[in-house]
Amino acid sequence: MYHTPVLPMGMEARNIQLIIMDMFSSQAILHINKWVLVRIQTAAGYQCSGYVDQNNYWHDGSGGSYSLQHSNYPFEHTNSTTTSNTTASSVHYQQAPNHWSANYGAAVSNVIPTPGSGNMVATTVPISTYPSQNLNGGYSYASSQPPPPGTTSWRGNLSSPLLPSSKAPDDMSKFLNTCAVEKTSTVHNYRLNQIPLDLQKPLKSNLPSGENHEGSGNDTYTNVPPSSLQISQASLNPQQPLQAVSVMDARRVSKMQIPTNPRIASSLALGMPKLDKESSTTNAAAKPAYISVQVPKLHNQLSSSDNADANVKALPPSVCDYVRRCLSRCKDDASRTACQLMLSELIAKAKDDGSLWTKNWDLEPPLPLANSSSDATNLNILQNTVSSITKFPNKRSKSRWEPVAEEKLDSKFAPVNLESSKNVSWAERMAGSRILEGMDNGWTSMKFPLVQQQSTLIKSSEKPVKKQRLFGPLSTTENDSNSAEGGKEPELNTHHSSAITLANSPEEKKKREHRSRRFDKSQESHADTEQFKPKGAGVANIYLRRASAMLLAKNFDDRCGRAVEDMDWDALTVKGTCQEIEKRYLRLTSAPDPATVRPEEILEKALSMVQTSQKNYYYKCDQLKSIRQDLTVQRIQNELTVKVYETHARLALEAGDLPEFNQCQSQLKRLYAEGIKGCRMEFSAYNLLCVILHSNNKRDLLSSMNSLSYEAKQDEAVKLALAVRSAVSLGNYVLFFRLYKSAPSLFTCLMDLHVEKMRFEAIKCMSKSYRPTVPEDCEEWLRAHGAVLAVDSYGELQLDTKASSLTLYMPEPEDAVAHGDANLAVDDFLARAS
Amino acid sequence: MMRIRIDNRPAMRIKAVHPLQLKLSFVFLFYLQINSLIYQEEKQSFRTHDSRRGNESVATGVSMSAMAYVSMGEAHRRITDFLFRFSEAVSSQDGAALKPLLAVSSNSALLLSLADALNVFQDWGRLVKQADRNSVQLGEILTPFLRCIQNYRMERFVETYVTFEKSANAFLQEFRNWETAWALDAMYTVAHEIRVLAELADKELASTGKNPEKLQGAGSFLMKVFGSLAGKGPKRVGALYVTSQLFKVYFKLGTVHLCRSVIRSIETAKIFDFEEFPTSDKVTYMYYTGRLEVYNENFIAADQKLTYALMHCNSEHASNLRMILKYLVPVKLSIGILPTMCLLDKYNLAEYTDIVNSLRSGDLRLLRKALNEHEDQFLRTGVYLVLEKLELQVYQRLVKKIHFIQKQRDPGKAHQIKLDLIVKALKWLEVEMDVDEVECIMAILIHKNLMKGYFAHKSKVVVLSKQDPFPKLKGKPVST
């Protein structure tokens, strides 16, 4: 939306370029612009005038990416303008597809897979898929086929926007109009709006507020966070600026732009007037000639993609969307199941009467059960859809990434790329890089260099020809459409026999088919595994995250300065704002969110809360761990930190949680070494005891003894520890148990772990050296250790030392676990979890 | 900084003196310096005694005299001379000639004067390039090496180390390609130098509050050297020297566990025949591995190794002998073998005197006092825990003495020692222990086979065996 100001100016391609340059001041953009220009010039062959050409370029380069923004815009347009425009839309649609097909031929393929695989690839898909989606879903949906179930929603939405975007603004507007005319189309738009919009909530303001569609569309609009918008834009293409401009044009300035664009020339002329008059209603009629030519193609493509989807899924994506939409509104399981029932009925019915593929599901009002608030729906949708994009908005809203926003975004995109690269052609990857660039553009000129680097990085990994690189996004889209087509070719042909001819040279076709096959395969598998599986989505997201992290790291290597800083703790150090005293420990898997981090004062309270708490150790341990985490992420290292660790260490000792104790101990060692005050002596005594009793490493013992200062040796606790040590090393069990008795409780806790061993040593020693008997009063223990006991003439129990010396043994501890750490035992885990 | 240093040198103050006089005074000064340096180093570490290093530092008066002031021409001459000697040594494969040229920390007149010359003739890089063109490709070794010499002279040890390591890596590269072992001596020097320089660098780093990590780097370089030597070729005899250097590094770093891999390859690899190595290296190796065994309280093995080291160590190197004995004495004590006092005197091992005496007399108090007195030292050398365990032997001695006295007084009950008696004896020694504790000690003595017999709990009497009630350890450690 920020483009809007630009739009008025950007009537001419050149102007647009200039503007873009101004706006973003990024070289990349310039390049793009140039490229676009060139393209335009070369594009002459196309029927469309300059505008169209531009559109084409975009399609070529970034086709898919466009779509998002465009879609949003167009929708808005249409929406705002009115639904009445609908009729013309079909034609427009066709145009767009035609362009695509003609120019790129294959474009759709990548996208196509999306319906099935949508969830999986979701993040990646948006970009790559857009073009195809646009082709398929947006228009096609509107015109002919309902989208495949579930997954497709994205596409449908995306795709519809794409088409408009891809077309010249005029086209766009027309499209929109046309779409509007057909209710289905409007639905599409609406759909589109929803999804993209959701992402782009922030955009809201930019977008003309909610008139888009009748129902929920508005809401969706509002939901979209700005970031997402940007993202989508970015993703669109390097040429986003242009696109954006175009979009803008379409929306608001259409009149102006059209006239201004010299290149648009002929075709424009037709469309223009209408646009000028009123973008809302008139456009549809205006487009006639060239539109008509293209229409068939569009249809074909769209349909093909749809078909492919259908093949994969048997349900059109729009239906899936619809189902999801409906389900997502359900607030609880009961309503959900009810809704499911109703939906299945509905779909069955639709199948029966053949409206399944013809009905515009996007327009279909949600089932009555549904919650009226579209926001909720959107949210749900977001959550449900695996796509990273959806996730982003959420994230954004949390502001978790705020401090490093750009980086994060990049990274997010990156993952997409990585992901996509697995299944998808390099072109898609290219698209990804494009996206990155685009993002940068969208964001700010400042970041641009970085982004560029990134994108170049990505590019560098791929060998593609330069040309391809330039066209990256577009080609991706092509591929997408191709693949879609490939799978569905036969059906498509039947549906729209007339259309395809334009773009398809035989070789092209072949290629396309080949590519599409590849895609379908991967997509299919994706779809199988991922569709409708929220968990799968989660996994995908995890992968994305990881990939993004990796990419981030990679980028860091290449970028200097800022990026490295971002990775650095310094940059990630947060200042907590959370005011809650109690907080569960959750291991961080990403940058900390200040909103969930407690500042020092609160932490202090939390500590005293834990200290006075009556709850069990697991609760306290959990709390202390979260306190420690908060301290760490805020890099607080002072006496409070020491106190927390000391408290935790003591509690751990009490509970016999040695691993946790060791963690605290090592932290404390470091903190003490930094000169922070605390109960240093006490803990060096613990440390000594630990080394003595639990590791048999003489060198460690020596070095820790050697490191004791003179003062330390005078300390009571340390003295005690040293006494214990000497008792142990000499095997003086009497002394040991005396110390054990007299030692402070925490010492006892540490020694506890050694007592059993010492006791056994003692009994062994005694049974060997004492004759004939020793009076005994702990029968149970002795018997458990194989001692031979006898009752003497006075009726007292005696240990038969001679016999026992041969039979004594150390029984296996009963609570021993195979992995050696009793703390990992299931019971404990459950106790902790509860 | 350079300037200040030069000004401080006595040489600078005698500018107007006759050249000959100057020359003489310098020679004298220099010798003083060298001697003191050697002395210092002796104190620092166990020295591998051979003629491999240090001796080259004998000054030639000529080069010394130029230290005060070096003309451009002279500087040029010295640098080219050095470069020539270096490349000549390499091309003629003369290890002995190459060795002194690499000994940065030897403070040899040659290198000191070279450093001065390098400071005067700033454009020495050109000379290196020239030499490079004319002869062997040594630029990669020489350029960082000369920089290293310069840094060393200016006491910038961190840079010294960094540059030396660069040069050493290049040298190692070349060294790998030399089939024969002619450069082994030079490699020894490099290995030694890198360790010494790393220690200096770490000291400097630590003093500026940075992380001293150079010694670690030196360790990994030495591992590389070890790898280049551990083969079938004639160079394999050098492996043990490098191993010794590695030991020194690891012991200093406190990462002795890293020694294990090296030891394993030395002791198990078929390419190595231990007897084939030079004696001095064998001694060093045995010394360090013996120390490791002391840490593990593996007294028999420690005894063997340290004894080997002692027997093969050059008897003129008293300090080395002393260092071996520092570990050997406690080891021998713990297996029941006491040294003569004269040995302790001769090698200045006074810290053990009291301990030996306490073992002789059964004076527990004396043992504790001695341990207390030298605690720091014993902890540092790592024998504290070993010495502490001698306590049981002291108890044994004490009971033995009581037994003797009792025998004289009441031969009939010679083998029955009342617990009270022992408690009383300990009280005389100002060791406060109650009956229970003493009972425990007696039980332990019997359990550990330091005393034969049994303890009658009811009557609180130790009943000794009539045959050899106090068996001697005879070279075996106390059973556990």
Side-chain angles (χ1 to χ4, degrees):
Chain A
M1 299 315 296
Y2 23 71
H3 299 290
T4 40
V6 183
L7 288 172
M9 309 179 54
M11 304 321 297
E12 244 199 5
R14 285 182 188 175
N15 290 341
I16 294 170
Q17 292 173 359
L18 286 174
I19 294 163
I20 294 163
M21 291 176 58
D22 290 343
M23 289 196 56
F24 302 100
S25 77
S26 61
Q27 295 178 352
I29 297 171
L30 285 172
H31 277 300
I32 297 166
N33 293 335
K34 283 180 186 174
W35 178 75
V36 173
L37 284 174
V38 176
R39 257 267 156 189
I40 295 169
Q41 291 172 353
T42 51
Y46 301 116
Q47 298 173 348
C48 299
S49 60
Y51 251 146
V52 176
D53 288 351
Q54 282 184 356
N55 292 334
N56 291 337
Y57 301 123
W58 301 17
H59 282 300
D60 289 334
S62 55
S65 54
Y66 274 90
S67 56
L68 281 178
Q69 294 179 349
H70 284 296
S71 63
N72 297 334
Y73 289 104
F75 285 117
E76 292 176 353
H77 223 4
T78 47
N79 295 334
S80 62
T81 50
T82 47
T83 40
S84 61
N85 299 333
T86 45
T87 49
S89 61
S90 62
V91 178
H92 287 289
Y93 283 109
Q94 291 171 355
Q95 280 187 350
N98 291 337
H99 286 297
W100 287 78
S101 60
N103 297 333
Y104 312 96
V108 190
S109 61
N110 290 336
V111 179
I112 295 172
T114 45
S117 58
N119 296 335
M120 283 285 300
V121 195
T123 44
T124 51
V125 177
I127 302 164
S128 59
T129 36
Y130 285 148
S132 60
Q133 284 181 351
N134 293 338
L135 293 173
N136 303 332
Y139 300 112
S140 62
Y141 285 24
S143 58
S144 58
Q145 305 159 348
T151 43
T152 39
S153 62
W154 278 91
R155 297 175 180 180
N157 300 331
L158 294 173
S159 61
S160 59
L162 286 176
L163 285 173
S165 65
S166 61
K167 294 180 179 185
D170 344 359
D171 293 348
M172 295 283 295
S173 62
K174 291 178 183 179
F175 269 135
L176 295 173
N177 295 336
T178 53
C179 290
V181 174
E182 291 188 8
K183 288 189 178 180
T184 51
S185 66
T186 50
V187 175
H188 265 310
N189 295 336
Y190 161 92
R191 268 260 137 198
L192 292 171
N193 291 336
Q194 275 190 342
I195 298 174
L197 290 175
D198 290 348
L199 296 177
Q200 307 159 352
K201 285 189 181 180
L203 289 178
K204 261 197 208 176
S205 58
N206 297 335
L207 296 174
S209 60
E211 299 175 1
N212 304 339
H213 303 286
E214 299 96 7
S216 51
N218 299 335
D219 291 340
T220 50
Y221 257 58
T222 50
N223 293 337
V224 182
S227 62
S228 62
L229 227 181
Q230 292 174 349
I231 297 171
S232 63
Q233 287 179 351
S235 64
L236 290 176
N237 282 330
Q239 309 156 354
Q240 276 188 347
L242 287 175
Q243 293 179 353
V245 175
S246 66
V247 176
M248 296 296 295
D249 293 346
R251 278 182 71 210
R252 304 178 179 179
V253 200
S254 58
K255 296 178 182 180
M256 291 290 296
Q257 288 180 346
I258 298 171
T260 46
N261 272 341
R263 320 231 158 163
I264 301 176
S266 62
S267 64
L268 279 179
L270 289 175
M272 285 305 293
K274 292 180 180 179
L275 285 173
D276 291 349
K277 291 172 184 173
E278 242 307 324
S279 58
S280 61
T281 45
T282 50
N283 296 338
K287 301 300 169 177
Y290 75 94
I291 295 173
S292 66
V293 176
Q294 295 169 349
V295 172
K297 289 183 181 180
L298 284 172
H299 251 315
N300 288 338
Q301 286 183 347
L302 293 175
S303 62
S304 67
S305 63
D306 287 349
N307 292 336
D309 293 349
N311 291 338
V312 177
K313 270 281 124 185
L315 283 179
S318 62
V319 173
C320 292
D321 284 354
Y322 179 70
V323 169
R324 176 166 299 163
R325 217 163 72 226
C326 291
L327 286 178
S328 65
R329 297 194 175 203
C330 301
K331 279 182 174 169
D332 50 37
D333 286 344
S335 65
R336 179 170 278 261
T337 48
C339 187
Q340 271 170 357
L341 278 174
M342 289 178 71
L343 281 171
S344 57
E345 266 179 39
L346 194 73
I347 291 168
K349 213 170 132 195
K351 254 184 192 159
D352 289 340
D353 64 22
S355 64
L356 184 65
W357 293 93
T358 52
K359 203 170 181 177
N360 189 335
W361 290 95
D362 289 334
L363 285 178
E364 199 72 11
L367 289 173
L369 275 178
N371 188 347
S372 61
S373 92
S374 55
D375 281 350
T377 343
N378 293 333
L379 255 180
N380 287 335
I381 290 172
L382 288 179
Q383 288 166 353
N384 289 339
T385 46
V386 188
S387 76
S388 61
I389 295 181
T390 43
K391 291 245 156 164
F392 294 179
N394 286 337
K395 280 277 145 98
R396 284 254 101 193
S397 65
K398 270 196 207 162
S399 84
R400 187 158 200 179
W401 300 96
E402 224 63 21
V404 272
E406 294 88 9
E407 290 298 328
K408 299 285 152 162
L409 281 174
D410 288 358
S411 67
K412 282 176 183 173
F413 276 97
V416 174
N417 295 336
L418 292 178
E419 282 278 300
S420 64
S421 64
K422 281 180 198 159
N423 329 315
V424 193
S425 67
W426 67 268
E428 226 175 295
R429 272 183 257 158
M430 294 305 305
S433 63
R434 278 297 128 121
I435 295 171
L436 287 178
E437 279 183 37
M439 276 177 47
D440 282 354
N441 296 340
W443 280 104
T444 49
S445 52
M446 278 191 46
K447 321 232 152 131
F448 196 74
L450 288 176
V451 177
Q452 256 188 322
Q453 280 190 8
Q454 250 194 355
S455 61
T456 50
L457 237 179
I458 294 162
K459 285 177 192 164
S460 66
S461 63
E462 307 146 353
K463 300 265 163 135
V465 198
K466 211 180 181 184
K467 203 177 174 189
Q468 279 181 326
R469 261 171 73 182
L470 278 173
F471 292 73
L474 287 178
S475 60
T476 320
T477 51
E478 281 187 10
N479 284 340
D480 291 352
S481 60
N482 284 340
S483 65
E485 268 189 2
K488 310 155 186 178
E489 198 94 26
E491 274 197 36
L492 286 179
N493 286 338
T494 58
H495 277 278
H496 319 270
S497 53
S498 59
I500 310 184
T501 47
L502 275 183
N504 303 344
S505 68
E507 311 130 59
E508 247 301 300
K509 223 176 174 180
K510 231 185 194 170
K511 269 193 216 161
R512 250 194 263 165
E513 243 169 57
H514 182 69
R515 271 183 259 167
S516 67
R517 292 260 160 73
R518 229 174 43 203
F519 261 102
D520 284 346
K521 239 187 191 170
S522 61
Q523 285 175 351
E524 246 167 41
S525 62
H526 279 301
D528 288 344
T529 53
E530 293 290 321
Q531 229 181 5
F532 297 122
K533 278 190 204 162
K535 286 206 172 171
V539 172
N541 279 324
I542 291 170
Y543 285 136
L544 285 174
R545 280 274 167 64
R546 218 170 275 163
S548 75
M550 278 167 58
L551 197 115
L552 250 181
K554 200 173 148 204
N555 288 336
F556 287 142
D557 287 343
D558 281 60
R559 304 181 192 177
C560 41
R562 201 177 68 101
V564 174
E565 252 180 72
D566 281 342
M567 204 54 175
D568 188 37
W569 267 119
D570 277 325
L572 290 178
T573 302
V574 295
K575 194 129 179 55
T577 57
C578 179
Q579 296 298 309
E580 268 172 51
I581 288 171
E582 206 176 359
K583 176 183 160 188
R584 294 215 61 173
Y585 172 70
L586 191 71
R587 187 167 184 165
L588 280 181
T589 54
S590 55
D593 176 6
T596 63
V597 172
R598 295 163 290 183
E600 198 175 334
E601 350 33 291
I602 303 292
L603 288 175
E604 232 162 287
K605 280 182 203 161
L607 178 61
S608 62
M609 184 273 289
V610 171
Q611 279 171 333
T612 56
S613 164
Q614 298 297 313
K615 297 193 185 168
N616 68 1
Y617 170 70
Y618 292 118
Y619 169 79
K620 291 180 181 175
C621 179
D622 187 66
Q623 289 298 313
L624 284 166
K625 279 181 111 153
S626 75
I627 295 176
R628 277 161 52 182
Q629 185 186 59
D630 285 356
L631 287 168
T632 307
V633 297
Q634 297 180 85
R635 301 179 94 196
I636 297 173
Q637 294 203 347
N638 53 23
E639 285 171 34
L640 174 66
T641 321
V642 169
K643 238 172 164 177
V644 169
Y645 278 106
E646 284 178 352
T647 311
H648 199 176
R650 290 192 191 111
L651 286 173
L653 269 188
E654 258 171 41
D657 186 355
L658 211 56
E660 204 60 58
F661 171 78
N662 284 333
Q663 269 185 38
C664 296
Q665 179 77 275
S666 62
Q667 285 297 317
L668 281 171
K669 232 185 208 169
R670 190 178 55 75
L671 291 166
Y672 290 143
E674 283 174 17
I676 303 167
K677 278 181 196 149
C679 309
R680 189 170 186 168
M681 291 308 162
E682 184 190 335
F683 279 89
S684 55
Y686 294 150
N687 183 40
L688 261 182
L689 275 181
C690 256
V691 178
I692 296 157
L693 303 179
H694 304 296
S695 83
N696 202 21
N697 191 330
K698 297 287 184 316
R699 241 195 104 78
D700 281 356
L701 178 55
L702 278 169
S703 70
S704 55
M705 282 175 74
N706 199 17
S707 65
L708 290 173
S709 64
Y710 179 76
E711 299 79 51
K713 281 179 188 163
Q714 305 308 308
D715 184 84
E716 281 307 313
V718 175
K719 266 188 189 165
L720 183 61
L722 289 172
V724 172
R725 184 203 59 77
S726 94
V728 170
S729 87
L730 287 176
N732 189 336
Y733 48 84
V734 171
L735 185 59
F736 179 85
F737 283 105
R738 279 189 185 157
L739 291 168
Y740 177 71
K741 240 184 202 168
S742 66
S745 63
L746 287 177
F747 271 77
T748 331
C749 294
L750 258 181
M751 290 166 80
D752 264 339
L753 303 161
H754 201 69
V755 157
E756 208 40 23
K757 203 174 149 196
M758 203 70 191
R759 186 174 285 140
F760 182 71
E761 287 298 318
I763 203 68
K764 221 167 84 182
C765 173
M766 284 161 84
S767 68
K768 199 180 168 196
S769 50
Y770 284 50
R771 290 294 181 273
T773 57
V774 182
E776 238 358 292
D777 51 5
C778 54
E779 185 183 351
E780 199 179 317
W781 187 88
L782 284 171
R783 286 198 194 280
H785 288 76
V788 180
L789 301 178
V791 180
D792 69 0
S793 49
Y794 300 99
E796 280 177 34
L797 198 61
Q798 300 283 343
L799 174 71
D800 183 340
T801 51
K802 196 165 188 179
S804 298
S805 66
L806 301 172
T807 58
L808 282 175
Y809 69 95
M810 192 74 164
E812 286 289 315
E814 280 169 23
D815 56 347
V817 284
H819 39 73
D821 184 358
N823 288 296
L824 297 176
V826 179
D827 291 345
D828 288 355
F829 175 77
L830 293 175
R832 268 187 246 210
S834 62
Chain B
M1 182 185 170
M2 247 329 263
R3 205 154 270 293
I4 295 166
R5 264 191 54 81
I6 289 177
D7 285 345
N8 285 342
R9 286 181 175 274
M12 294 305 289
R13 289 183 222 124
I14 342 176
K15 263 194 184 150
V17 188
H18 188 273
L20 187 63
Q21 210 177 337
L22 188 73
K23 204 193 277 181
L24 286 173
S25 71
F26 264 116
V27 172
F28 179 67
L29 272 174
F30 181 78
Y31 271 112
L32 274 184
Q33 202 182 359
I34 294 291
N35 285 336
S36 74
L37 270 172
I38 289 174
Y39 177 70
Q40 274 173 11
E41 223 187 289
E42 254 172 21
K43 284 201 293 188
Q44 276 172 6
S45 70
F46 189 87
R47 290 190 69 190
T48 303
H49 277 275
D50 57 6
S51 55
R52 283 177 208 151
R53 59 194 185 79
N55 304 341
E56 68 286 344
S57 55
V58 179
T60 59
V62 182
S63 61
M64 292 308 301
S65 66
M67 230 159 90
Y69 174 76
V70 185
S71 72
M72 204 63 162
E74 171 68 6
H76 183 273
R77 191 192 63 72
R78 279 190 208 166
I79 297 168
T80 47
D81 180 50
F82 176 84
L83 294 175
F84 175 75
R85 282 174 71 176
F86 196 95
S87 58
E88 191 63 20
V90 172
S91 57
S92 65
Q93 307 219 321
D94 185 352
L98 185 58
K99 196 172 70 158
L101 303 180
L102 289 166
V104 179
S105 68
S106 69
N107 286 308
S108 71
L110 174 73
L111 295 181
L112 289 178
S113 66
L114 175 65
D116 290 333
L118 290 169
N119 281 324
V120 172
F121 193 87
Q122 295 291 343
D123 192 23
W124 51 263
R126 186 170 54 86
L127 299 179
V128 177
K129 259 182 226 152
Q130 239 167 35
D132 222 17
R133 232 173 290 130
N134 297 337
S135 55
V136 211
Q137 303 287 314
L138 294 171
E140 286 193 13
I141 302 172
L142 282 170
T143 310
F145 184 76
L146 292 183
R147 211 164 277 144
C148 161
I149 299 266
Q150 251 180 316
N151 286 323
Y152 183 76
R153 178 72 164 167
M154 288 184 263
E155 297 187 353
R156 294 190 304 219
F157 294 122
V158 177
E159 276 112 295
T160 308
Y161 173 78
V162 172
T163 45
F164 188 82
E165 196 191 54
K166 216 182 256 173
S167 167
N169 271 314
F171 184 76
L172 179 62
Q173 206 64 43
E174 290 296 319
F175 180 79
R176 286 205 179 98
N177 301 331
W178 295 324
E179 300 255 319
T180 62
W182 71 267
L184 208 51
D185 272 357
M187 202 59 201
Y188 288 161
T189 311
V190 171
H192 174 259
E193 287 298 328
I194 199 163
R195 180 179 63 81
V196 172
L197 294 177
E199 281 168 17
L200 287 171
D202 275 357
K203 223 179 268 174
E204 188 181 308
L205 282 172
S207 70
T208 55
K210 283 175 205 147
N211 183 23
E213 68 201 351
K214 299 299 179 199
L215 195 55
Q216 235 170 318
S220 48
F221 174 77
L222 288 171
M223 268 317 262
K224 276 194 271 179
V225 177
F226 184 84
S228 76
L229 295 171
K232 279 193 176 168
K235 286 185 270 187
R236 67 174 186 271
V237 293
L240 208 56
Y241 179 83
V242 179
T243 306
S244 310
Q245 296 297 330
L246 271 171
F247 282 159
K248 289 179 196 185
V249 169
Y250 292 150
F251 271 81
K252 192 140 203 164
L253 288 174
T255 54
V256 287
H257 57 279
L258 294 175
C259 297
R260 207 176 299 158
S261 64
V262 195
I263 293 174
R264 200 182 302 132
S265 60
I266 289 284
E267 290 184 352
T268 61
K270 284 187 183 141
I271 42 165
F272 295 124
D273 175 7
F274 193 72
E275 291 311 316
E276 191 181 88
F277 293 117
T279 306
S280 58
D281 294 339
K282 286 192 282 188
V283 169
T284 315
Y285 177 82
M286 282 305 193
Y287 166 74
Y288 280 109
T289 51
R291 276 184 68 180
L292 286 175
E293 298 297 354
V294 175
Y295 285 139
N296 300 333
E297 304 200 347
N298 212 343
F299 296 123
I300 307 245
D303 180 37
Q304 278 169 2
K305 300 203 167 193
L306 291 170
T307 307
Y308 181 98
L310 187 72
M311 301 317 268
H312 292 80
C313 185
N314 188 326
S315 58
E316 284 168 27
H317 301 310
S319 74
N320 279 357
L321 290 172
R322 179 171 180 273
M323 289 178 73
I324 296 170
L325 284 171
K326 259 188 186 170
Y327 291 91
L328 189 55
V329 169
V331 168
K332 290 277 190 194
L333 288 177
S334 63
I335 56 174
I337 297 166
L338 306 188
T340 62
M341 281 304 157
C342 110
L343 178 88
L344 298 181
D345 281 347
K346 184 176 175 190
Y347 291 101
N348 192 24
L349 297 163
E351 65 266 30
Y352 292 123
T353 317
D354 279 349
I355 290 170
V356 173
N357 280 334
S358 73
L359 278 170
R360 288 228 164 88
S361 61
D363 187 347
L364 189 61
R365 179 183 47 181
L366 188 61
L367 177 74
R368 290 189 174 173
K369 193 183 125 226
L371 275 177
N372 208 23
E373 222 167 82
H374 303 283
E375 188 179 304
D376 288 344
Q377 190 187 346
F378 292 147
L379 281 174
R380 209 168 40 243
T381 49
V383 294
Y384 184 87
L385 299 178
V386 177
L387 295 174
E388 190 188 48
K389 293 224 162 88
L390 296 176
E391 204 168 283
L392 284 180
Q393 288 189 57
V394 178
Y395 281 122
Q396 183 206 31
R397 191 79 186 179
L398 182 65
V399 180
K400 196 176 179 181
K401 279 196 162 179
I402 294 171
H403 172 62
F404 275 130
I405 294 167
Q406 180 148 333
K407 210 178 188 177
Q408 285 167 1
R409 277 190 182 173
D410 183 1
K413 286 194 169 181
H415 294 288
Q416 294 180 21
I417 302 172
K418 284 193 175 153
L419 210 54
D420 290 343
L421 218 57
I422 302 166
V423 175
K424 208 179 275 175
L426 286 168
K427 208 169 242 169
W428 286 337
L429 289 171
E430 293 166 7
V431 178
E432 286 296 330
M433 285 172 104
D434 65 11
V435 182
D436 285 347
E437 221 174 315
V438 176
E439 188 180 321
C440 166
I441 300 290
M442 291 309 116
I444 293 171
L445 284 181
I446 296 168
H447 178 56
K448 302 221 170 193
N449 209 27
L450 285 167
M451 209 159 74
K452 273 190 182 170
Y454 66 89
F455 187 82
H457 180 71
K458 239 187 257 175
S459 49
K460 302 276 180 202
V461 170
V462 182
V463 182
L464 294 172
S465 153
K466 292 198 172 143
Q467 265 194 339
D468 190 19
F470 299 99
K472 290 196 170 155
L473 287 171
K474 285 183 192 157
K476 273 181 232 149
V478 176
S479 65
T480 50

